[in-house]
Amino acid sequence: MSSCSSKNDTIPTKVDSSNISQSQLDKNDADLVPKLERNNKNQVSYLFFNEADVTKTIFLSFYANYDRRTIAKVELLQDNKTVVSNVKLHDKKITNNGKFTISLSKYIPQFNKIKFFDENDALIFTLQTGQYFLEKININNKNNEDSWFLDSYYTLEDAGRFKINAKIKKKGQNKYSYKILLPKKIKDQNILKQEDKSSIKDNNFSFNYESQIDLKQFGNYESISYDMSVIQSDIYGGQSLIMSVNIPLSKTNIINN
């Protein structure tokens, strides 16, 4: 699902290294850390790790671009402890207004920092990512020919509020029910208000879902995001995934995601 971003500062990309030692260049990279991570430590994300999928793709956000050195490897940490070093990279630079995409093939429960290494296995810097919590689920996303499928959607975002309207269709006359699945860590906090005004008529499923967190309940966080999955069940109890979306909630009406 798309959302707007204000992380649009760009770090100058041209560096004249002809008269700069490697140690000086490393220091220049380290000096960029505050501009890249800014207030990431005030963000928290609750994600699903679906064991039925090959990998879990995570879209990290920073507040500037970086392309001084090629990023060849990363490690994820919780505080100062490495939790995984086997991370697939989709990018070799931090580009597109601070975006950096990774994939996990193995479940980890949490992380809040990332280490970047160059092609010589030298550490570039360590950045705060915000706190990420992951929860294991196992939901097949291979639906039958007559299962519901996502046809179209649009979203609306405001301070502390997110709304999605989706059209979900199906073929055939088999009956299915649906449920909304949320990560337990955010659900158990009882800070999330949800409203489901969905309706099903014939083969058409109009999914109308809204979530909200009162601004006073954000605490020290500037933004709180979570995965929301819509699951369908057949009459035999078999389950499959209709759609999954990451929902960003922010204290302001600009979502940094």
Side-chain angles (χ1 to χ4, degrees), residues 148-247:
W148 276 320
F149 63 89
L150 179 63
D151 180 63
S152 62
Y153 71 90
Y154 71 89
T155 62
L156 297 172
E157 301 163 10
D158 202 351
R161 187 187 300 267
F162 181 95
K163 184 175 183 179
I164 178 171
N165 292 334
K167 297 297 183 183
I168 299 170
K169 297 183 178 181
K170 68 182 290 295
K171 299 177 181 179
Q173 298 301 318
N174 287 343
K175 300 295 183 181
Y176 293 90
S177 59
Y178 80 95
K179 67 178 180 180
I180 297 170
L181 190 64
L182 304 180
K184 293 177 182 177
K185 274 189 177 293
I186 187 168
K187 187 177 180 181
D188 291 346
Q189 294 178 52
N190 294 319
I191 62 173
L192 187 65
K193 298 178 181 178
Q194 301 177 86
E195 189 172 11
D196 179 16
K197 293 184 178 180
S198 302
S199 62
I200 300 171
K201 185 177 181 180
D202 299 326
N203 286 338
N204 295 318
F205 177 10
S206 294
F207 181 72
N208 299 304
Y209 172 86
E210 183 174 339
S211 66
Q212 179 183 3
I213 295 178
D214 289 338
L215 299 185
K216 63 184 179 181
Q217 292 186 304
F218 273 76
N220 294 326
Y221 290 119
E222 294 294 325
S223 69
I224 299 172
S225 67
Y226 67 96
D227 282 350
M228 183 270 292
S229 294
V230 183
I231 310 299
Q232 62 185 344
S233 301
D234 59 30
I235 59 174
Y236 305 104
Q239 293 186 334
S240 57
L241 183 67
I242 301 176
M243 70 173 184
S244 185
V245 56
N246 184 261
I247 294 179

Side-chain angles (χ1 to χ4, degrees), residues 77-92:
L77 301 86
Q78 178 62 37
D79 299 327
N80 295 318
K81 182 179 179 180
T82 299
V83 293
V84 64
S85 56
N86 183 22
V87 180
K88 179 181 177 181
L89 302 184
H90 294 261
D91 304 307
K92 294 185 177 180

Side-chain angles (χ1 to χ4, degrees), residues 3-4 6 27 40 42 57 67 79 82 90 92-93 111 113 124 133 135 143 146 158-159 161-163 171 198 200:
S3 60
C4 59
S6 65
K27 183 180 185 303
N40 268 359
N42 296 325
T57 299
D67 65 357
D79 299 327
T82 299
H90 294 261
K92 294 185 177 180
K93 313 284 185 179
F111 70 91
K113 293 180 183 178
I124 301 174
F133 295 106
E135 178 182 324
N143 300 325
D146 65 347
D158 202 351
R161 187 187 300 267
F162 181 95
K163 184 175 183 179
K171 299 177 181 179
S198 302
I200 300 171

Side-chain angles (χ1 to χ4, degrees), residues 105-116:
S105 57
K106 178 182 178 182
Y107 168 76
I108 58 172
Q110 58 188 6
F111 70 91
N112 58 16
K113 293 180 183 178
I114 183 169
K115 278 186 177 181
F116 293 90

Side-chain angles (χ1 to χ4, degrees), residues 114-137:
I114 183 169
K115 278 186 177 181
F116 293 90
F117 298 87
D118 68 13
E119 294 169 306
N120 297 316
D121 207 32
L123 178 65
I124 301 174
F125 40 49
T126 301
L127 298 180
Q128 297 268 2
T129 61
Q131 181 64 60
Y132 282 80
F133 295 106
L134 290 86
E135 178 182 324
K136 279 194 287 189
I137 59 172

